[in-house]
Amino acid sequence: MESGLGRILAKTAKAGRKDLTGDCAATLIVSRLTNCLGSGVRPVLDYDFDESIGYWLTVTTQRYHRAFNDALVPYGITFRQSQVLGWLALEGELSQAELAGKMMIEPPTLVRILDRMERDGLIRRRPCPADRRRKLIGATAKSKPVWAKIVDCAKGIRAQATAGLTDRQQATLKKLLGRVHENLLLQPPAELSDR
């Protein structure tokens, strides 16, 4: 039954049903589980999502991003704008191509985000001195108060996400996630398997 629930949760998440929360989500999950189990029909694609590290990383990341986006909405900031400023805070100036890669979005999608941010005075674009075809993106002084709001929201979401975890558990979690990250950087993809 647990793996069936995992499949239903994955389908719900994959369908992008971010509007489903609380009782509404529970009702949909129970309905799908009842239909699936009650009819005696097994899903065509079988996978034990409950045991998948990749599944839990993905759904947790999605939920974290949704919570963060919800916290930013009252300030008129989008999650993608926070990503732009976050990468610029972490790395300094970046080309549009580098920024799109780090954000895992297509360059045309990024252009629309950057256009709005430039219009609002949060970022500036300038030609790269070494290659005038490339545009470098940098944060402006006007972005500092927006960045402060983003950081406050991030701290609030971090507190919510780690509620009930001791300092030691949080340190262990960071260490384990760091290890997973390193493993994915070091091992060739052919040797990887979802555990």
Side-chain angles (χ1 to χ4, degrees):
M1 178 117 158
E2 285 183 9
S3 63
L5 178 59
R7 284 192 296 273
I8 291 167
L9 287 169
K11 284 181 185 178
T12 302
K14 190 172 184 180
R17 296 299 305 267
K18 62 183 174 185
D19 58 317
L20 298 176
T21 57
D23 293 339
C24 184
T27 302
L28 179 68
I29 290 167
V30 170
S31 170
R32 287 191 178 170
L33 186 57
T34 302
N35 290 341
C36 185
L37 297 178
S39 67
V41 176
R42 292 191 43 84
V44 175
L45 304 174
D46 191 30
Y47 184 72
D48 189 0
F49 286 97
D50 293 333
E51 294 299 318
S52 169
I53 297 295
Y55 167 77
W56 288 110
L57 286 171
T58 299
V59 296
T60 302
T61 298
Q62 289 173 341
R63 183 63 222 137
Y64 202 96
H65 288 177
R66 282 188 202 121
F68 194 32
N69 192 60
D70 292 346
L72 293 169
V73 166
Y75 302 106
I77 305 165
T78 68
F79 174 71
R80 290 298 191 186
Q81 290 172 327
S82 74
Q83 280 188 304
V84 168
L85 293 179
W87 280 111
L88 295 177
L90 183 64
E91 303 266 340
E93 279 189 330
L94 292 168
S95 72
Q96 287 184 190
E98 291 169 326
L99 190 54
K102 290 180 180 300
M103 292 174 62
M104 295 178 57
I105 61 175
E106 294 297 319
T109 302
L110 178 61
V111 167
R112 290 189 297 274
I113 296 164
L114 295 178
D115 286 346
R116 181 177 171 199
M117 293 180 76
E118 187 174 39
R119 181 199 69 206
D120 295 342
L122 302 176
I123 58 116
R124 60 170 162 49
R125 292 174 170 134
R126 68 178 185 89
C128 175
D131 182 354
R132 300 202 60 78
R133 294 170 296 174
R134 290 179 52 194
K135 297 284 185 193
L136 295 177
I137 312 302
T140 64
K142 190 174 179 182
S143 70
K144 286 184 178 183
V146 173
W147 179 244
K149 289 176 186 172
I150 291 169
V151 169
D152 285 344
C153 289
K155 288 179 180 177
I157 297 305
R158 183 184 340 165
Q160 178 186 352
T162 58
L165 297 179
T166 65
D167 289 344
R168 186 173 181 183
Q169 288 171 323
Q170 289 181 50
T172 299
L173 177 61
K174 286 188 271 188
K175 183 177 180 180
L176 292 173
L177 290 172
R179 179 60 186 267
V180 170
H181 184 262
E182 287 175 20
N183 287 345
L184 293 172
L185 288 174
L186 299 176
Q187 291 179 324
E191 295 178 22
L192 297 177
S193 67
D194 191 8
R195 296 180 185 112

